[in-house]
Amino acid sequence: MRAFREAVEAGDLDAVEALLADDVVFTSPVAFKPYPGKAITASVLRAVSQVFEDFRYERELDGGDGRDHALVFTARVGERRLSGCDFIHLDENGLIDELTVMVRPLSGAQALAAAMGARFDEIAKEAEARSASAS
């Protein structure tokens, strides 16, 4: 998904948010339950953009139907290097309705979990404010 990739690479988080469907479901590599909704997904992605260092997409894969995509990336969290993949599904309007992220190795996932966990209260407050302003 070229528009998502370009927005992420440019650090344009407003453009990333504009690509999300209201009912998007975000599945984190370090959380048990998925996060439903645009507000929480946008807030998580904003926090991740601060946590990941040296982030770069390396490859883009297309599922062939135009609705399924995978973006392979590398990044660093503190001293831990990691690689991962954003799995993206588009709804009938071309908006992202599913975003699943996977990362490896375990040490990288643990560093990501710790960094995001330390920010979770802030993420939840931002999502609540986004949700309230969208209503």
Side-chain angles (χ1 to χ4, degrees), residues 81-96:
R81 298 222 44 86
L82 58 85
S83 58
C85 191
D86 293 336
F87 295 97
I88 299 168
H89 182 267
L90 304 179
D91 67 12
E92 61 279 350
N93 299 313
L95 296 174
I96 298 169

Side-chain angles (χ1 to χ4, degrees), residues 1 4-9 16 45 54-60 70-75 84-86 88 99 101:
M1 149 136 236
F4 180 82
R5 178 179 181 166
E6 289 175 356
V8 170
E9 289 175 333
V16 170
L45 293 176
D54 303 329
F55 179 90
R56 135 175 155 257
Y57 283 119
E58 296 190 327
R59 206 168 2 167
E60 187 172 339
L71 299 171
V72 179
F73 64 84
T74 60
C85 191
D86 293 336
I88 299 168
L99 175 56
V101 180

Side-chain angles (χ1 to χ4, degrees), residues 12-119:
D12 187 348
L13 298 170
D14 291 334
V16 170
E17 185 173 356
L19 296 169
L20 302 174
D22 289 338
D23 62 349
V24 63
V25 175
F26 174 72
T27 303
S28 165
V30 297
F32 177 71
K33 291 172 37 176
Y35 297 102
K38 186 174 187 172
I40 188 68
T41 300
S43 297
V44 168
L45 293 176
R46 286 178 189 281
V48 167
S49 74
Q50 297 169 0
V51 168
F52 277 164
E53 299 174 68
D54 303 329
F55 179 90
R56 135 175 155 257
Y57 283 119
E58 296 190 327
R59 206 168 2 167
E60 187 172 339
L61 308 169
D62 185 348
D65 64 358
R67 293 180 71 179
D68 289 296
H69 305 270
L71 299 171
V72 179
F73 64 84
T74 60
R76 185 171 51 81
V77 178
E79 297 302 313
R80 300 289 182 200
R81 298 222 44 86
L82 58 85
S83 58
C85 191
D86 293 336
F87 295 97
I88 299 168
H89 182 267
L90 304 179
D91 67 12
E92 61 279 350
N93 299 313
L95 296 174
I96 298 169
D97 64 355
E98 293 176 27
L99 175 56
T100 300
V101 180
M102 294 188 181
V103 298
R104 65 162 309 280
L106 179 58
S107 61
Q110 289 169 329
L112 178 59
M116 292 299 289
R119 297 171 184 251

